[in-house]
Amino acid sequence: MTLPAEESPLTQPARPAPPPGAPSAPSTVAAAPKATARQVFSAFTGRNLIQHLEALQKAADESGGNRASGTRGYEASARYVEEQLRAAGYKPVRQVFTYRDENRGTDVETFNILADTAGSAQHTIVVGAHLDSVRRGPGINDNGSGVAALIETARWMAETGIQPKNRVRFAFWGAEEVDLLGSQHYVDSLSNGEIAQTMLNLNLDMVASPNGGLFVHDGDGSSFGDAGPAGSDVIERTFLDYFAQNGLAAAPTIFENGDSDYWPFLKAGIPTGGLFTGDDDEKTAEQVQEFGGVENSEYDACYHRACDDISNIDRQMLHDMAGALGYVTVAFAMLPRPD
């Protein structure tokens, strides 16, 4: 179930999302400004992202070693996120849903957390990261790293007094590790009109892999042949501009069917983009030249394992990716859009 309309930012009853390429989806996203990339980089270099990872590690340690949806660890993680958002002036709400855990033969109630900025609801930017871990470990890179970057982007926007022209909705998804259930529930709960009002989606999933790289989803399809919905190319280019202006190498990564929470948005025809630093695939020689690290070793050897803990992160990479998220979020949030 979802929260009643007066308690939730979602105002329409659940219904299926339209098919890919639906005409109600935005057809383009104009180019974003680039002048402040170095300023944003500097701002995020000094931000304390590690405190959020420490809090999520503590939530797992005190709850059987994980933060899976429907567990005490997930609830503790959610309360921490909500506290951080409220302290920054946001009003987070829970979007509750239930799914069937076939392995345990039980129904599980869990939720997404949603928090909005000011700005036009006619042009909503959904910026998301999944909050849950697998049951085998604490999930600090997967995906505490994305959660930390998302919290700090929200806090930074509030602290600097940014007044978005377009509403930003920060979304912390539940049950991603089950089958992208939280983000799918969110998209399914949107009316056709709300989908048309969703300007774009940005997704962070694993952004501090210890042997990783700075990967940007291939919005224009030039690297892997499968472009995102119209406008996804501009999202990719804006991320790449940020890295280039800060002297950081970046490389494309594929939109993979059902791989992360971008997928429900992509299927609904919403422009989509995001960041990733790698999972259990192995780093190539070319990527070692670009990013350093160890050739033929996994980007994250602790992917979906108990060792995905606070020691399993690249701190510099986390700051680089958080800054990129902050830059691109604000670039589109401040972009004039005709009504």
Side-chain angles (χ1 to χ4, degrees):
M1 66 177 228
T2 57
L3 294 174
E6 65 269 21
E7 297 179 30
S8 171
L10 301 178
T11 59
Q12 299 291 334
R15 58 184 296 169
S24 60
S27 59
T28 60
V29 178
K34 301 179 287 185
T36 60
R38 292 189 65 82
Q39 293 174 323
V40 175
F41 180 87
S42 296
F44 273 83
T45 297
R47 299 197 71 85
N48 187 359
L49 286 92
I50 302 304
Q51 65 177 326
H52 307 310
L53 302 185
E54 291 171 343
L56 296 176
Q57 179 72 62
K58 183 173 183 287
D61 290 344
E62 295 178 351
S63 307
N66 72 76
R67 303 181 301 100
S69 279
T71 67
R72 290 185 294 112
Y74 187 78
E75 176 63 30
S77 300
R79 290 183 181 180
Y80 175 79
V81 169
E82 290 164 338
E83 289 169 1
Q84 292 293 309
L85 293 171
R86 290 191 185 103
Y90 296 94
K91 298 179 179 179
V93 299
R94 295 186 177 192
Q95 183 192 27
V96 181
F97 61 96
T98 302
Y99 68 92
R100 183 70 177 172
D101 186 333
E102 297 295 347
N103 292 329
R104 289 170 171 78
T106 60
D107 291 331
V108 177
E109 183 178 275
T110 191
F111 52 88
N112 302 319
I113 299 173
L114 309 173
D116 293 347
T117 69
S120 171
Q122 303 298 310
H123 308 124
T124 296
I125 300 162
V126 180
V127 186
H130 75 85
L131 181 57
D132 63 318
S133 74
V134 293
R135 288 184 177 270
R136 290 186 294 277
I140 300 304
N141 185 34
D142 185 15
N143 185 37
S145 60
V147 169
L150 198 56
I151 292 173
E152 278 306 299
T153 296
R155 285 163 49 106
W156 171 69
M157 288 181 64
E159 291 168 10
T160 53
I162 293 168
Q163 297 295 320
K165 299 180 185 299
N166 308 307
R167 179 174 69 180
V168 178
R169 173 164 289 167
F170 296 104
F172 300 81
W173 308 120
E176 188 271 355
E177 297 290 6
V178 181
D179 194 16
L180 313 181
L181 296 182
S183 54
Q184 186 66 64
H185 176 76
Y186 174 86
V187 172
D188 287 348
S189 297
L190 299 176
S191 68
N192 287 346
E194 287 168 326
I195 286 183
Q197 293 167 7
T198 303
M199 185 175 172
L200 56 92
N201 167 244
L202 303 177
N203 185 69
L204 270 76
D205 195 351
M206 302 182 66
V207 290
S209 301
N211 191 40
L214 304 179
F215 299 126
V216 178
H217 283 293
D218 183 25
D220 63 5
S222 61
S223 297
F224 298 99
D226 292 319
S232 303
D233 57 333
V234 184
I235 301 171
E236 178 190 14
R237 187 164 65 247
T238 308
F239 275 122
L240 292 176
D241 284 346
Y242 174 84
F243 291 123
Q245 288 184 62
N246 285 296
L248 298 170
T253 188
I254 192 171
F255 283 121
E256 191 169 347
N257 186 341
D259 189 56
S260 190
D261 289 304
Y262 57 73
W263 191 248
F265 292 88
L266 190 149
K267 289 192 300 179
I270 295 168
T272 301
L275 300 172
F276 178 58
T277 56
D279 49 26
D280 57 351
D281 289 333
E282 295 182 352
K283 181 171 271 188
T284 66
E286 180 182 3
Q287 290 169 345
V288 170
Q289 291 182 341
E290 287 185 292
F291 306 116
V294 181
E295 183 181 349
N296 297 327
S297 293
E298 296 171 68
Y299 301 120
D300 182 355
C302 289
Y303 174 65
H304 283 186
R305 298 173 186 169
C307 57
D308 184 11
D309 58 22
I310 194 71
S311 67
N312 186 53
I313 59 164
D314 184 312
R315 296 188 178 208
Q316 184 59 55
M317 193 165 289
L318 176 59
H319 280 87
D320 293 344
M321 291 302 225
L325 178 69
Y327 173 74
V328 173
T329 298
V330 170
F332 288 110
M334 299 305 295
L335 194 68
R337 294 274 295 177
D339 289 319

